[in-house]
Amino acid sequence: MYSIIVVPPPTTEDERSTTEQIRLAPGERLTFGRSAHANRLHIPHEGVSRRAGEIAAQGAFWILSNLSRDQTYVVENPEGAGEHVKVGPGRLDAPIPFEFARIVLPAAGDLLPVEVWAPRHDYMHPDSDGDGDTTAPAFSLDRTKRYFAVLAALCEPRLRGTPHAPLPTVDQVVERLRPSWPAVSRTTVQWNIDYLSVKLRLKPGPDTADSGPRLNGKKESLVSLALRFDLVREDDLVILRANAPSGSPQ
């Protein structure tokens, strides 16, 4: 099975179809750059180095080498909350952990995207026989509760593929949840945001918390934690179209 799939960037000189793909099996390498003779992936843009970089498939992940002299490449995770890896000039064999990634090449005022997919996944086989006490979950969330619907609504813009999208306001969350939760209000949404902040240990309980709410900071912290640890996934957004979540918490 192929380890990674590379989708070349479209350019003004070479109008490539976005469906064109270059497939790399484990151990294979792909050089890219402006020179058509020195690279398997030709990027005919005057702002790209003649030999700009190299992608290598390494089983279930891939590595990136930056062969340019003065350009830093940014590898973005379009499915994450703004996650990215910077690969500086001359850096060799930088491991990239993202399942779906976008290499952004700065090129004379343009930003050229090279998309890389890593469809091969290796997982350990779970032991069939449990041994000892069950490990306590790191984050205990009930997807049938209203607080989870609030969290899903907060995460939705970034889960839809826009990692730097502004978070929805409380009023926007209210409108998003109203079809499945007719009684929702600003007060209940704000209450659930406070509840999540305590439940996920982002702030102390009401007995020791500082006075004065900072709602924007709470929302950003909640969404960042939820997306980093996959507490909310794109599949969970179905709750925003489903029947009303169960009652308590509010």
Side-chain angles (χ1 to χ4, degrees):
M1 179 178 181
Y2 290 105
S3 283
I4 63 173
I5 299 171
V6 181
V7 180
T11 66
T12 54
E13 295 88 351
D14 180 15
E15 292 296 335
R16 300 176 186 270
S17 168
T18 56
T19 59
E20 181 180 351
Q21 299 176 354
I22 300 172
R23 297 171 181 263
L24 302 180
E28 290 186 335
R29 292 177 173 265
L30 171 71
T31 55
F32 59 89
R34 188 173 81 245
S35 171
H37 303 291
N39 302 286
R40 209 173 135 193
L41 171 54
H42 177 214
I43 305 177
H45 191 293
E46 62 181 4
V48 175
S49 298
R50 287 187 294 274
R51 231 174 137 246
E54 184 178 73
I55 297 168
Q58 298 290 324
F61 71 101
W62 57 283
I63 59 177
L64 173 66
S65 294
N66 182 348
L67 304 181
S68 72
R69 293 184 178 180
D70 52 16
Q71 295 287 2
T72 293
Y73 300 157
V74 176
V75 185
E76 300 175 338
N77 176 12
E79 299 176 315
E83 290 180 299
H84 66 275
V85 172
K86 294 197 296 184
V87 183
R91 170 72 192 274
L92 301 177
D93 296 339
I96 307 299
F98 306 139
E99 184 174 309
F100 171 47
R102 181 185 297 118
I103 306 172
V104 180
L105 306 176
D110 294 324
L111 296 176
L112 303 181
V114 179
E115 295 181 350
V116 182
W117 305 340
R120 171 180 163 177
H121 308 139
D122 293 338
Y123 296 98
M124 62 180 290
H125 295 288
D127 295 330
S128 56
D129 297 324
D131 184 13
D133 296 335
T134 303
T135 303
F139 305 101
S140 179
L141 292 176
D142 185 341
R143 283 168 166 74
T144 68
K145 299 297 184 182
R146 286 172 175 168
Y147 65 75
F148 190 81
V150 171
L151 185 58
L154 289 173
C155 294
E156 183 180 26
R158 296 183 184 179
L159 281 172
R160 295 296 189 192
T162 309
H164 303 293
L167 298 184
T169 65
V170 170
D171 287 333
Q172 288 171 331
V173 172
V174 170
E175 291 305 311
R176 186 70 180 93
L177 295 177
R178 196 179 299 283
S180 60
W181 183 2
V184 66
S185 67
R186 285 181 55 88
T187 301
T188 54
V189 168
Q190 289 172 338
W191 188 94
N192 279 281
I193 289 172
D194 281 335
Y195 177 81
L196 283 162
S197 297
V198 175
K199 185 175 182 64
L200 297 178
R201 305 181 186 90
L202 296 179
K203 59 172 284 187
D207 294 336
T208 56
D210 296 333
S211 60
R214 296 181 64 247
L215 192 57
N216 288 339
K218 291 177 193 174
K219 290 193 301 182
E220 186 65 49
S221 296
L222 284 171
V223 170
S224 179
L225 179 73
L227 296 182
R228 281 204 314 271
F229 291 98
D230 287 336
L231 305 185
V232 181
R233 300 180 174 89
E234 189 171 357
D235 291 346
D236 292 318
L237 298 182
V238 69
I239 195 175
L240 302 178
R241 302 189 300 272
N243 294 327
S246 61
S248 181
Q250 295 183 24

